[in-house]
Coordinates of all heavy atoms in Angstrom, one line a residue:
P9 N -26.3 36.4 -7.4 CA -27.4 36.1 -6.5 C -28.4 35.1 -7.0 O -28.6 35.0 -8.3 CB -28.1 37.5 -6.4 CG -27.8 38.2 -7.7 CD -26.6 37.6 -8.3
G10 N -28.9 34.3 -6.2 CA -30.0 33.3 -6.7 C -30.6 32.5 -5.6 O -30.1 32.6 -4.4
T11 N -31.7 31.9 -5.9 CA -32.3 31.0 -4.9 C -31.6 29.7 -4.6 O -31.5 29.2 -3.6 CB -33.8 30.8 -5.3 OG1 -34.4 32.0 -5.7 CG2 -34.6 30.2 -4.3
V36 N -24.5 34.6 -3.4 CA -25.4 35.1 -2.3 C -26.8 34.7 -2.5 O -27.4 34.8 -3.5 CB -25.2 36.7 -2.2 CG1 -25.5 37.3 -3.5 CG2 -26.0 37.2 -1.1
V37 N -27.3 34.2 -1.4 CA -28.7 33.6 -1.3 C -29.5 34.5 -0.4 O -29.2 34.7 0.8 CB -28.6 32.2 -0.8 CG1 -30.1 31.6 -0.8 CG2 -27.6 31.3 -1.4
P38 N -30.5 35.2 -0.9 CA -31.4 36.0 -0.1 C -32.1 35.3 0.9 O -32.6 34.1 0.8 CB -32.4 36.5 -1.1 CG -31.9 36.3 -2.5 CD -31.0 35.2 -2.4
N39 N -32.0 35.8 2.1 CA -32.7 35.1 3.3 C -34.1 35.3 3.5 O -34.8 34.7 4.2 CB -31.9 35.6 4.6 CG -32.0 34.7 5.7 OD1 -32.4 33.5 5.6 ND2 -31.6 35.2 6.9
N40 N -34.6 36.4 2.8 CA -35.9 36.9 3.2 C -37.0 36.8 2.2 O -37.9 37.6 2.2 CB -35.7 38.4 3.6 CG -35.0 39.2 2.5 OD1 -34.6 38.6 1.5 ND2 -34.9 40.5 2.7
I41 N -36.7 36.1 1.1 CA -37.7 36.1 0.1 C -38.9 35.2 0.5 O -38.8 34.2 1.1 CB -37.1 35.8 -1.3 CG1 -36.2 34.5 -1.2 CG2 -36.4 37.0 -1.9 CD1 -35.8 34.1 -2.6
Q42 N -40.0 35.5 -0.2 CA -41.3 34.8 0.1 C -41.4 33.6 -0.8 O -42.4 33.3 -1.3 CB -42.5 35.8 -0.1 CG -42.4 37.1 0.5 CD -42.7 37.1 1.9 OE1 -43.6 36.3 2.3 NE2 -42.1 37.8 2.7
K43 N -40.3 32.8 -1.0 CA -40.5 31.8 -2.0 C -40.6 30.5 -1.2 O -40.1 30.3 -0.1 CB -39.2 31.7 -2.8 CG -39.2 32.7 -3.9 CD -38.2 32.3 -5.0 CE -38.3 33.3 -6.2 NZ -37.4 33.0 -7.2
N44 N -41.4 29.6 -1.8 CA -41.6 28.3 -1.1 C -40.5 27.4 -1.6 O -40.5 26.7 -2.6 CB -42.9 27.7 -1.7 CG -43.9 27.7 -0.5 OD1 -43.6 27.6 0.7 ND2 -45.2 27.6 -0.9
T45 N -39.4 27.3 -0.8 CA -38.3 26.4 -1.2 C -38.3 25.1 -0.5 O -38.9 24.9 0.5 CB -37.0 27.2 -0.8 OG1 -36.9 27.4 0.6 CG2 -36.8 28.5 -1.6
F47 N -35.4 23.5 0.2 CA -34.3 23.4 1.1 C -34.3 24.8 1.9 O -34.6 25.8 1.3 CB -33.0 23.3 0.4 CG -32.8 22.0 -0.3 CD1 -33.2 21.8 -1.6 CD2 -32.3 20.8 0.5 CE1 -33.0 20.5 -2.2 CE2 -32.2 19.6 -0.2 CZ -32.5 19.5 -1.4
T48 N -33.9 24.8 3.1 CA -33.8 26.0 3.9 C -32.6 26.7 3.3 O -31.7 26.2 2.6 CB -33.5 25.7 5.4 OG1 -32.2 25.1 5.5 CG2 -34.6 24.9 6.0
V49 N -32.5 28.0 3.7 CA -31.4 28.8 3.1 C -30.1 28.2 3.6 O -29.1 28.2 2.8 CB -31.6 30.3 3.5 CG1 -31.5 30.5 5.0 CG2 -30.6 31.2 2.8
D50 N -30.0 27.7 4.8 CA -28.8 27.2 5.4 C -28.4 25.8 4.7 O -27.2 25.5 4.3 CB -28.8 27.0 6.8 CG -28.8 28.3 7.5 OD1 -28.1 29.2 7.1 OD2 -29.5 28.4 8.6
R52 N -29.2 25.1 1.5 CA -28.8 25.5 0.2 C -27.4 26.0 0.2 O -26.7 25.6 -0.7 CB -29.8 26.6 -0.4 CG -31.2 26.0 -0.8 CD -32.1 27.0 -1.3 NE -32.9 27.6 -0.3 CZ -33.3 28.9 -0.1 NH1 -32.9 29.7 -1.1 NH2 -34.0 29.3 0.9
I53 N -27.1 26.8 1.2 CA -25.7 27.3 1.3 C -24.7 26.2 1.5 O -23.6 26.1 0.9 CB -25.7 28.4 2.4 CG1 -26.3 29.7 1.8 CG2 -24.2 28.6 2.8 CD1 -26.2 30.8 2.7
T69 N -22.5 33.0 0.7 CA -23.2 33.6 1.9 C -24.6 33.9 1.7 O -25.1 33.9 0.6 CB -22.4 34.9 2.3 OG1 -22.9 35.3 3.5 CG2 -22.5 35.9 1.3
K70 N -25.4 34.1 2.8 CA -26.8 34.6 2.7 C -26.8 36.1 3.1 O -25.9 36.6 3.7 CB -27.7 33.7 3.6 CG -27.4 33.8 5.0 CD -28.3 32.9 5.8 CE -27.8 32.8 7.3 NZ -28.5 31.9 8.1
T71 N -27.9 36.7 2.8 CA -28.1 38.1 3.1 C -29.5 38.4 3.4 O -30.4 37.9 2.8 CB -27.6 39.0 2.0 OG1 -27.7 40.4 2.5 CG2 -28.3 38.9 0.7
D72 N -29.7 39.4 4.3 CA -31.1 39.9 4.5 C -31.3 41.2 3.8 O -32.4 41.8 3.9 CB -31.2 40.2 6.1 CG -31.3 39.0 7.0 OD1 -32.1 38.1 6.5 OD2 -30.7 38.9 7.9
K73 N -30.2 41.6 3.1 CA -30.4 42.9 2.4 C -30.9 42.7 1.0 O -30.9 41.7 0.5 CB -28.9 43.5 2.3 CG -28.3 43.8 3.6 CD -27.2 44.7 3.5 CE -27.0 45.4 4.8 NZ -25.7 45.1 5.4
L74 N -31.3 43.8 0.4 CA -31.5 43.9 -1.1 C -30.2 43.5 -1.8 O -29.1 44.0 -1.3 CB -32.0 45.3 -1.4 CG -33.4 45.7 -1.3 CD1 -33.5 47.2 -1.6 CD2 -34.3 44.9 -2.3
T75 N -30.4 42.8 -2.9 CA -29.1 42.5 -3.6 C -28.3 43.6 -4.0 O -27.0 43.6 -3.8 CB -29.6 41.7 -4.9 OG1 -30.6 40.8 -4.5 CG2 -28.4 41.0 -5.5
V76 N -28.8 44.7 -4.4 CA -28.0 45.9 -4.7 C -27.2 46.5 -3.5 O -26.1 46.9 -3.6 CB -28.7 47.1 -5.4 CG1 -29.0 46.8 -6.8 CG2 -30.0 47.5 -4.6
D77 N -27.9 46.4 -2.3 CA -27.2 46.9 -1.1 C -26.1 45.9 -0.7 O -25.1 46.4 -0.2 CB -28.3 47.0 0.0 CG -29.2 48.2 -0.3 OD1 -28.9 49.1 -1.1 OD2 -30.3 48.2 0.2
F78 N -26.4 44.6 -0.9 CA -25.3 43.6 -0.6 C -24.1 43.9 -1.5 O -22.9 43.9 -1.1 CB -25.8 42.2 -0.8 CG -24.8 41.2 -0.5 CD1 -24.5 40.8 0.8 CD2 -24.0 40.7 -1.6 CE1 -23.5 39.8 1.0 CE2 -23.0 39.7 -1.3 CZ -22.8 39.3 0.0

Side-chain angles (χ1 to χ4, degrees):
T11 311
V36 56
V37 187
N39 200 12
N40 53 354
I41 48 171
Q42 312 279 324
K43 281 199 179 177
N44 249 337
T45 56
F47 294 94
T48 66
V49 67
D50 291 326
R52 283 177 272 145
I53 285 182
T69 187
K70 62 183 168 184
T71 184
D72 286 315
K73 299 200 157 113
L74 274 172
T75 311
V76 281
D77 292 337
F78 179 85

